Amino acid sequence: QKEVEQNSGPLSVPEGAIASLNCTYSDRGSQSFFWYRQYSGKSPELIMSIYSNGDKEDGRFTAQLNKASQYVSLLIRDSQPSDSATYLCAVNTFLDDGSSNTGKLIFGQGTTLQVKP
Amino acid sequence: NAGVTQTPKFQVLKTGQSMTLQCAQDMNHNSMYWYRQDPGMGLRLIYYSASEGTTDKGEVPNGYNVSRLNKREFSLRLESAAPSQTSVYFCASSPNWTPNYGYTFGSGTRLTVV
């Protein structure tokens, strides 16, 4: 069973701090990694994607990928109360023999972030 | 610029009733997906359609059927609703079936089965 694991939280940080959200995955063949933000009662919204080891920055968001450790993280700098939401990690999956992309994403349970003014 | 449109937004069913959840996308995407989201369980894939004319089971297909009516539309049917199907249902689409660009989600259908 391919899995994506996230700490459900809540993760509480003060306004202006750096929030660090972590995700581990089980499928060594995964090549595409995504972070979604989901406000309460709303649908998931794609905020970051990363495909290569290292860091990818987009405004206040930085995604970090380490395929050897099967670990992906999201850093939010200068956190704002409007960043309070659940953050979902999603990973693409391959067939068990590694021959083909399944075309499906597996989602973690999400980490709830609370940014306190 | 609608993206992915789901109807209805809310629904209450009695046990044993049937209903169809509708989903349509206007982004010319090839692949479409149905997920359910339950507290503590995350998003779980029910069915997906890699391209027009094809459908496949996901992680939790029991009790559901799907139809890929055309490239735009992908519907989810509950033939005999059960309380265990109380959930939030999301439809999603992606340009192709290797989801290198992630999914675009609809706004969801909140279903309660009593």
Side-chain angles (χ1 to χ4, degrees), chain A residues 40-94:
Chain A
S40 181
K42 302 296 185 181
S43 60
E45 172 193 13
L46 181 64
I47 56 171
M48 288 288 288
S49 58
I50 187 166
Y51 309 104
S52 303
N53 280 329
D55 295 358
K56 178 182 178 182
E57 186 174 318
D58 183 0
R60 296 186 295 112
F61 298 98
T62 299
Q64 300 175 317
L65 175 60
N66 184 326
K67 290 185 179 180
S69 300
Q70 296 176 242
Y71 177 92
V72 59
S73 64
L74 179 70
L75 302 179
I76 306 174
R77 291 182 300 280
D78 188 24
S79 295
Q80 301 297 310
S82 59
D83 295 324
S84 297
T86 296
Y87 290 81
L88 304 172
C89 174
V91 176
N92 78 325
T93 57
F94 279 71

Side-chain angles (χ1 to χ4, degrees), chain B residues 10-114:
Chain B
F10 300 93
Q11 184 72 49
V12 178
L13 288 178
K14 294 182 179 179
T15 298
Q17 287 185 320
S18 63
M19 78 163 295
T20 300
L21 281 64
Q22 306 287 353
C23 175
Q25 52 90 11
D26 63 1
M27 298 173 287
N28 201 35
H29 285 177
N30 286 309
S31 301
M32 299 184 73
Y33 309 83
W34 277 105
Y35 282 86
R36 61 178 288 174
Q37 188 174 38
D38 303 290
M41 301 294 290
L43 283 161
R44 293 183 292 169
L45 183 63
I46 305 171
Y47 271 93
Y48 69 103
S49 172
S51 61
E52 183 180 0
T54 68
T55 60
D56 281 292
K57 296 178 180 179
E59 182 185 358
V60 287
N62 291 343
Y64 306 95
N65 285 300
V66 292
S67 295
R68 183 75 182 265
L69 304 172
N70 48 55
K71 190 171 185 179
R72 292 186 62 249
E73 299 174 284
F74 187 38
S75 63
L76 178 71
R77 183 162 179 82
L78 286 70
E79 292 291 352
S80 178
S84 61
Q85 294 178 304
T86 294
S87 187
V88 180
Y89 292 85
F90 288 105
C91 177
S93 69
S94 65
N96 52 51
W97 92 301
T98 54
N100 295 327
Y101 303 100
Y103 297 164
T104 301
F105 283 87
S107 59
T109 295
R110 284 149 183 79
L111 175 67
T112 301
V113 182
V114 297

